Amino acid sequence: MEFRLMLESSPPTSVTSARTPSITLEGKCYILSDPFNLNNPESIPKYSCVSYAWGEERVPHALRANTTDTMSTHTIPAFVATIRAKRSRGAFWIDTFCVPRDEPAKRFTLESMGFIYSQCEEVVIMLSSTAAEAIEQMGTHGSGRVTEEGLRGLEEDRWATRLWTYQESANARDFYFTYEGASEKAALVNGVDLFNCLGFSLQQMKKEKGIDDVALMKLFPTLSNLEDVFVEMYVTPYGWRSAMVVMTSIQRRTVDSVQNLFYAMTCAITTKPSPGLWDMVDQDPAETFMRTCEENNDYSFIYSSDERDETPGRRWRPKPNQLIPILSSHSYGEAQRGHRTSEGLWLEGMLYFTTSPMMDPNGREWIMGLLNRPELVQEADSVLAQACVLKLKEFGFQCLPYDTASSLAPIETTEGASQSPPEYLILGDRIFVPQWPLEPARILRILVSNQISWSLGAPGLVEIEGTERSEYVVGVYVGYKPGLRPNANLISALL
């Protein structure tokens, strides 16, 4: 990769100006450095990274005067805001100026964004001017409350909805928030303070309006994204995010291209510079992501809603498509561990289940509590289970109808008519909801991860009898979180 920085410097002379791109901001001159030698890290000065949303409008590129290249109208304001926030810093990395123009250097640098952001001292995030009121309130009151008007202004900002900003925050060791047009005396809010203040303000609003978490997420979807950024920062060990965490987080962001989608996803799980890791020009970007996960010994990407590979011994593996998670709710867990042998893939730390004809009383009580539906106490198991299915759909469950998703024959009733199987499987004390309805007679085993979770359960796989060999259907186990069954009989499952 080619690594350059914008460095504070004396203005170039007339002799050097043609070959030394420079720009003057805040009364100081900044030049684009020559490429640094990554094998000599001591030669690289401490630097800050700039993070901002590009938006749609473009202007002529400030460092490429003799070209038709353009840049975002927010590039200069973001650079200025960062300079004002970090006056003592003389070196900065900002995408528009530091990413090379020509291939393959451009591609290698984009593939190395995880490395670039993981090596900086801090990331300065410039939000739009609509966030000014919220940022100033946070800066004034510390971790106090932001008004509803301030929250709505923060909601209008697009930073937390963009692809690239996800990996930028994912790799930051420390980060600060400012806003476009902020003066030198404006508030600069540390990420921890913003997280505490935002969480407190949203919880207070939820109480005042008498709404639940789902309703709050619908009211402030962007702020829910922003909260997830902080949850990952403080729950996930630095430098390690599971594929499932990345897949669920990225689904709530704007995707401009499949290639950029997987650049951002892969940069969020590795901080290795390119080439070396990705020096495979023709490799599908989704395949690159999955191979990187496998190198990290993380197989949680298998819990995607994509079709499965048809290659013998790899029928557990998704085809390299978009890798949409079976549930887009925020997930937890370091990784889905496993190991490959000549026999196939062994998933580690799995729970094994079989179906049951009915739910036990403890299971019913737990499910009603999860759904906050005490009025279902007298209803049949089928009504309670169907309520689980509806709740999952509220959280983005990627379900498919039976007639389009399954090639299996419908169940024959005693009257000779056919019917589709139910959308759920009863496991005694819990419910499992596969991606599409499954005929009970075809089910061989149900496996649930004890390492990856959501707030309402965990991902899993159902092995079913196929036409020629076993097939795998991903699904959601609505029950205990992984790790909360310390005495469970965990197994290593061969797929």
Side-chain angles (χ1 to χ4, degrees), residues 123-152:
V123 176
V124 177
I125 298 164
M126 186 198 75
L127 304 181
S128 65
S129 58
T130 64
E133 183 174 347
I135 295 297
E136 290 297 339
Q137 288 174 359
M138 293 176 186
T140 303
H141 304 300
S143 59
R145 184 176 179 181
V146 176
T147 63
E148 182 172 350
E149 185 177 353
L151 288 175
R152 293 192 181 282

Side-chain angles (χ1 to χ4, degrees), residues 176-373:
Y176 298 85
F177 287 83
T178 184
Y179 57 90
E180 187 166 352
S183 67
E184 290 188 49
K185 297 181 179 180
L188 180 67
V189 180
N190 181 272
V192 176
D193 293 334
L194 192 143
F195 175 49
N196 291 333
C197 191
L198 178 61
F200 175 75
S201 301
L202 289 175
Q203 288 304 310
Q204 290 298 111
M205 178 171 292
K206 187 173 72 171
K207 291 179 182 179
E208 292 173 2
K209 292 184 177 293
I211 58 178
D212 61 13
D213 289 334
V214 174
L216 184 69
M217 186 171 62
K218 291 180 179 179
L219 190 62
F220 292 107
T222 300
L223 295 188
S224 295
N225 270 7
L226 194 55
E227 273 200 305
D228 284 348
V229 169
F230 296 119
V231 169
E232 287 185 34
M233 282 286 294
Y234 305 121
V235 173
T236 307
Y238 178 75
W240 188 270
R241 277 172 170 74
S242 72
M244 179 57 72
V245 166
V246 174
M247 288 159 58
T248 54
S249 296
I250 216 77
Q251 286 304 308
R252 297 186 293 280
R253 293 178 179 253
T254 303
V255 177
D256 55 358
S257 73
V258 173
Q259 185 178 49
N260 283 341
L261 169 69
F262 285 103
Y263 275 155
M265 287 174 63
T266 308
C267 288
I269 61 171
T270 181
T271 57
K272 295 180 181 178
S274 178
L277 175 67
W278 292 13
D279 197 11
M280 296 172 255
V281 177
D282 297 326
Q283 181 166 291
D284 184 282
E287 182 63 32
T288 297
F289 176 75
M290 289 193 288
R291 288 192 184 185
T292 304
C293 293
E294 291 170 341
E295 289 180 7
N296 291 340
N297 189 20
D298 174 23
Y299 291 87
S300 59
F301 63 85
I302 69 173
Y303 304 120
S304 79
S305 59
D306 296 81
E307 293 182 36
R308 303 289 128 172
D309 196 322
E310 297 176 1
T311 306
R314 291 165 59 93
R315 297 174 73 85
W316 52 269
R317 201 174 192 266
K319 291 182 178 180
N321 295 320
Q322 282 196 276
L323 296 182
I324 299 173
I326 187 64
L327 193 69
S328 57
S329 178
H330 183 77
S331 63
Y332 304 88
E334 185 175 309
Q336 173 60 66
R337 301 300 185 191
H339 60 276
R340 303 277 288 274
T341 69
S342 58
E343 298 175 284
L345 171 67
W346 288 85
L347 288 182
E348 300 168 3
M350 302 299 290
L351 294 164
Y352 172 79
F353 292 93
T354 57
T355 58
S356 303
M358 63 181 66
M359 292 189 68
D360 63 35
N362 290 335
R364 286 182 58 89
E365 183 177 353
W366 194 93
I367 294 293
M368 285 188 292
L370 176 70
L371 300 177
N372 194 23
R373 296 285 301 277

Side-chain angles (χ1 to χ4, degrees), residues 429-489:
D429 63 345
R430 295 296 180 264
I431 300 293
F432 189 91
V433 184
Q435 187 176 9
W436 59 77
L438 299 175
E439 188 177 334
R442 302 290 184 114
I443 295 174
L444 300 176
R445 57 178 176 166
I446 301 168
L447 301 169
V448 174
S449 174
N450 198 52
Q451 300 176 346
I452 301 293
S453 71
W454 298 290
S455 61
L456 44 67
L461 294 168
V462 182
E463 182 179 0
I464 61 173
E465 181 183 351
T467 305
E468 298 180 357
R469 58 182 65 86
S470 292
E471 298 177 359
Y472 297 93
V473 179
V474 70
V476 178
Y477 171 72
V478 183
Y480 293 116
K481 286 186 181 180
L484 295 186
R485 285 192 166 183
N487 299 320
N489 184 23

